[in-house]
């Protein structure tokens, strides 16, 4: 969202007035709390923690407030709606949050009183609230108040209690919950042991430390991402060789870890060079990345990796089609390449984007930005770090305003004839074409219940409600279908798939996902899209 100040020839008085109006609540360009309506992102100081999901971002500030932006198809921003946001929006009114973590499309957070809260996608029970209903505002997980830490995975989650016990819930088809079975869970179930210290559960595999410094792994292991010397899945924790591990982080199908001597190690899938070892060969045991011994933290995700050194430099490697490495290009890298700057403090990696803090407290983002997950007010990808500005910084004029005319003669003089006044005629400004109208992202609403069960051969209609959030233009609809929730959507053929509502066939039993993409078009080339997803089960 942007605030338009006006053409260059506006007087200083008009410019000042426009800026003052922009500072009032409700004016586009000033992100407000969806819940309270009075909180404005003040940006660049007091950030305590950053967390990145697949296509959304969450930040915890030192004042205990929680802020989110990006894709919101499942309510993962926690702001009481399913509208995407391209600038930070406050999550409710609470100011007692203490920790936050993001999964693929769900978010979990701890409060200072030890309670655990969750919101977003809940198709496999990954919110841990005993149901499979999505939630667009924070919902408490059980009634316990002794939670100490939490880590959200792809469609599952883990959390520690203060007594050292580890608990898991959500999707479990590959045994990633570590409970000895492959049954998914909608409420927390304990993983064996009472001496757990930390856990990383980004995707289908899990790595965790015990208090004695040993490293354990379980879950999906097709590419050796468990690091145990085999490619067999594990439904219970198996120890990774070594006792001198310092920290560990899981990516999509690869893992990174630091040893106490500052060396960096990697294992798992390496088809795009995400291990950083100069080849594209998978590894099922830890392999050292280079020879440096001054690494301090790691942040892998989908097919790319990020890591920090002691001197404040930030390094990246792997997949880079969206500019997620932040190195000014979209070329993939098989070894670490430095991101510009020497004052980086922390980094969090997502599916195709990243957030990072600098030592001065400023927040930066880069990579894929299809849903505004960078938080910079646009949906354009960025291949170098871009600062997430405060509203005041975004509104500051970049050029001096044009002075007001000193006489009415100067205003009316055509400069092609002699003007009978003491003020010289101004040089006419070059004629500029008016800016082309832009398409605003349409607001799409649908029934709260998007998981629909229907008996075979019964009629069913999927209904979409959409509003054009901009001026002019038109809305068009395109229904798509897929057997998988996260990928493989294809356009449904026929005129019926281009209408506002769609009647899917119910002849065959089974589950299928339907998505309606709503496009707002202005003119010939200006387009903006939004979508809603339905899961239909034919019994």
């Amino acid at each position: 969202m942007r605030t338009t100040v006006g053409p260059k020839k506006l007087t200083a008085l008009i410019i000042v007035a426009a800026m003052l109006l922009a500072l009032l609540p409700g004016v586009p360009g000033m992100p407000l709390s969806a819940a309270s309506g009075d909180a404005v992102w003040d940006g660049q100081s007091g950030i305590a923690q950053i967390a990145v999901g697949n296509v959304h971002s969450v930040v915890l500030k030192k004042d205990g407030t929680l802020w989110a932006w990006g894709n919101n198809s499942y309510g993962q921003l926690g702001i009481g709606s399913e509208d995407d946001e391209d600038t930070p929006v406050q999550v409710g009114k609470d100011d007692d949050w203490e920790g936050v973590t993001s999964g693929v499309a769900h978010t979990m957070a701890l409060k200072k009183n030890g309670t655990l809260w969750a919101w977003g996608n809940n198709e496999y029970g990954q919110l841990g609230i005993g149901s499979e209903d999505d939630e667009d505002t924070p919902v408490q997980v059980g009634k316990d108040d002794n939670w100490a830490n939490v880590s959200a995975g792809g469609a599952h989650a883990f959390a520690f209690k203060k007594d050292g016990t580890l608990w898991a819930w959500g999707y479990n088809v590959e045994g990633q919950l570590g409970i000895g079975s492959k049954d998914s869970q909608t409420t927390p179930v304990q993983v064996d042991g009472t001496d757990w210290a930390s856990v990383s559960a980004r995707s289908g595999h899990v790595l965790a430390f015990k208090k004695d410094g040993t490293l354990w792994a379980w879950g999906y292991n097709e590419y050796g991402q468990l690091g145990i010397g085999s490619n067999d899945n594990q439904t219970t924790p198996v120890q990774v060789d070594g006792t001198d591990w310092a920290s560990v982080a899981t990516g999509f199908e690869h893992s990174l870890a630091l040893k106490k001597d500052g060396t960096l190690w990697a294992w798992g899938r390496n088809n795009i060079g995400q291990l950083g070892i100069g080849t594209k060969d998978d590894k099922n045991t830890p392999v050292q990345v280079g020879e440096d011994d001054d690494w301090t933290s790691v942040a892998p995700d989908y097919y790319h990796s990020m890591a920090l050194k002691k001197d404040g430099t930030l390094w990246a490697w792997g997949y880079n089609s969206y500019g997620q490495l932040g190195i000014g290009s979209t070329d993939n890298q098989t070894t670490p390449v430095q991101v510009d700057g020497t004052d980086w403090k922390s980094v969090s990696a997502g599916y195709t984007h990243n957030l990072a803090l600098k030592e001065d407290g400023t927040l930066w983002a880069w990579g894929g930005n299809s849903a505004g997950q960078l938080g910079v007010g646009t949906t354009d990808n960025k291949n170098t770090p871009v600062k997430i500005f405060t509203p005041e910084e975004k509104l500051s004029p970049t050029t001096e305003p044009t002075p007001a005319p000193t006489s009415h003669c100067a205003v009316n003089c055509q400069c092609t004839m002699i003007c009978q006044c003491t003020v010289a005629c101004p040089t006419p400004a070059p004629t500029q074409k008016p800016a082309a109208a832009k398409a605003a992202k349409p607001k799409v609403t649908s029934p709260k219940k998007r998981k629909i069960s229907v008996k075979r051969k019964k009629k069913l209609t999927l209904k979409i409600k959409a509003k054009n959030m901009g001026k002019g233009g038109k809305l068009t609809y395109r229904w798509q279908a897929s057997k998988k929730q996260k990928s493989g959507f294809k356009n449904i053929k026929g005129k019926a798939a281009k209408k506002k509502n769609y009647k899917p066939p119910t002849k065959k039993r089974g589950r299928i996902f339907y998505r309606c993409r709503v496009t707002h078009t202005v003119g010939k080339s200006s387009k903006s899209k939004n979508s809603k997803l339905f899961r239909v089960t034919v019994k």
Side-chain angles (χ1 to χ4, degrees):
M1 296 182 290
R2 295 177 178 175
T3 300
T4 302
V5 175
K8 291 183 178 179
K9 292 190 68 177
L10 281 178
T11 65
L13 180 62
I14 295 175
I15 291 177
V16 171
M19 291 176 66
L20 290 174
L21 285 172
L23 292 173
L24 294 176
V27 176
M30 300 294 291
L32 302 180
S33 165
S36 64
D38 58 4
V40 178
W41 169 260
D42 60 1
Q44 303 305 308
S45 62
I47 296 174
Q49 188 180 357
I50 52 179
V52 177
N54 257 30
V55 201
H56 75 290
S57 306
V58 188
V59 162
L60 172 64
K61 299 195 72 181
K62 291 180 181 178
D63 62 7
T65 59
L66 203 57
W67 300 74
W69 58 93
N71 181 260
N72 197 28
S73 298
Y74 302 94
Q76 60 262 49
L77 300 189
I79 58 176
S81 76
E82 294 178 355
D83 301 325
D84 295 350
E85 298 288 345
D86 58 17
T87 53
V89 177
Q90 189 177 355
V91 180
K93 298 180 181 180
D94 295 344
D95 60 0
D96 58 345
W97 298 103
E98 190 172 45
V100 66
T101 179
S102 296
V104 166
H106 71 293
T107 306
M108 307 203 72
L110 287 169
K111 286 194 171 183
K112 293 178 181 178
N113 62 5
T115 56
L116 179 60
W117 299 73
W119 57 96
N121 187 18
N122 195 31
E123 182 172 357
Y124 301 102
Q126 57 261 51
L127 299 188
I129 57 176
S131 75
E132 293 182 355
D133 298 325
D134 298 345
E135 299 290 345
D136 58 18
T137 55
V139 176
Q140 187 173 351
V141 180
K143 297 181 179 180
D144 293 341
D145 59 1
N146 62 339
W147 298 102
N149 205 345
V150 63
S151 177
H156 62 302
F158 287 83
F160 290 96
K161 289 188 176 181
K162 293 178 181 178
D163 60 5
T165 56
L166 178 61
W167 299 73
W169 58 93
Y171 191 57
N172 193 32
V173 172
E174 308 295 344
Q176 55 262 59
L177 298 189
I179 57 176
S181 75
K182 293 185 178 180
D183 300 325
S184 298
Q185 305 291 328
T186 61
T187 55
V189 176
Q190 188 176 351
V191 180
D192 188 47
T194 59
D195 57 347
W196 295 101
S198 66
V199 65
S200 179
R202 189 59 182 167
S203 187
H205 71 291
V206 181
L207 291 166
F209 280 107
K210 287 191 174 183
K211 293 179 180 179
D212 61 4
T214 55
L215 180 60
W216 299 73
W218 61 93
Y220 187 52
N221 194 33
E222 181 177 352
Y223 302 98
Q225 56 263 51
L226 299 187
I228 57 176
S230 76
N231 290 52
D232 299 326
N233 295 349
Q234 303 292 327
T235 60
T236 55
V238 177
Q239 188 174 353
V240 180
D241 188 48
T243 58
D244 55 348
W245 300 104
S247 65
V248 67
T250 56
F252 180 56
E253 291 165 336
H254 71 294
S255 306
L256 296 180
L258 295 178
K259 287 192 174 183
K260 294 177 181 178
D261 61 5
T263 56
L264 176 60
W265 299 72
W267 58 94
R269 194 172 190 181
N270 194 32
N271 59 320
I272 308 180
Q274 57 265 47
L275 298 189
I277 57 176
T279 72
K280 294 183 179 180
D281 301 325
D282 299 344
K283 301 292 179 181
N284 62 17
T285 56
V287 178
Q288 188 174 350
V289 180
E291 298 180 354
D292 295 341
D293 59 1
D294 56 348
W295 300 100
T296 59
S297 66
V298 291
D301 202 83
Y302 186 55
Y303 287 135
H304 76 287
S305 304
M306 311 290 300
L308 282 166
K309 287 189 175 183
K310 292 179 181 178
D311 59 4
T313 57
L314 178 61
W315 300 73
W317 58 95
Y319 188 48
N320 195 31
S321 290
Y322 298 87
Q324 58 263 54
L325 299 189
I327 58 175
S329 76
T330 54
D331 299 328
N332 299 338
Q333 304 291 328
T334 61
T335 55
V337 177
Q338 187 177 349
V339 180
D340 188 47
T342 58
D343 55 348
W344 298 101
K345 183 179 181 181
S346 64
V347 62
S348 181
Y351 182 69
T352 61
H353 78 292
N354 309 279
L355 290 184
L357 279 175
K358 286 193 173 185
E359 291 290 348
D360 62 3
T362 55
L363 181 61
W364 299 70
W366 63 95
N369 195 30
S370 58
Q373 61 264 42
L374 298 188
V376 295
T378 72
T379 54
D380 301 324
N381 297 346
K382 304 293 182 182
N383 61 22
T384 56
V386 178
K387 184 179 177 183
I388 300 179
F389 290 100
T390 65
E392 291 80 5
E393 290 171 315
K394 293 181 78 170
L395 288 172
S396 297
T398 56
T399 59
E400 292 296 324
T402 303
T406 55
S407 84
H408 122 227
C409 176
V411 175
N412 293 295
C413 186
Q414 300 300 311
C415 298
T416 57
M417 63 183 72
I418 297 174
C419 193
Q420 302 298 321
C421 59
T422 58
V423 180
C425 289
T427 303
T431 303
Q432 293 183 348
K433 293 182 180 179
K438 292 185 178 181
K441 181 166 289 188
K443 181 177 182 180
V444 184
T445 59
S446 59
K448 177 78 173 178
K449 186 177 181 181
R450 289 181 289 140
K451 298 174 183 177
I452 301 169
S453 295
V454 62
K455 291 184 179 179
R456 194 167 72 92
K457 295 185 179 181
K458 290 289 183 179
K459 292 183 179 180
L460 174 66
T461 302
L462 302 179
K463 296 182 179 181
I464 282 289
K465 294 180 181 179
K467 292 182 180 180
N468 179 349
M469 301 301 290
K471 294 182 180 180
K474 65 177 181 178
L475 295 178
T476 56
Y477 303 85
R478 165 55 75 182
W479 286 89
Q480 301 172 316
S482 174
K483 292 184 178 180
K484 294 183 179 181
Q485 179 180 346
K486 300 173 186 176
S487 62
F489 279 92
K490 294 183 178 180
N491 290 338
I492 299 171
K493 296 179 180 180
K495 294 182 180 179
K498 295 182 180 180
K499 295 182 178 180
K500 187 173 184 179
N501 299 325
Y502 177 65
K503 297 180 180 180
T506 58
K507 295 180 180 179
K508 297 181 180 180
R509 290 186 175 91
R511 178 184 294 178
I512 192 166
F513 296 93
Y514 292 96
R515 181 172 69 185
C516 183
R517 305 209 76 165
V518 183
T519 303
H520 175 208
T521 304
V522 178
K524 296 182 179 180
S525 60
S526 182
K527 296 181 180 180
S528 185
K529 296 180 181 179
N530 210 339
S531 64
K532 283 294 173 185
L533 185 73
F534 294 85
R535 187 188 78 185
V536 176
T537 302
V538 180
K539 297 182 178 179

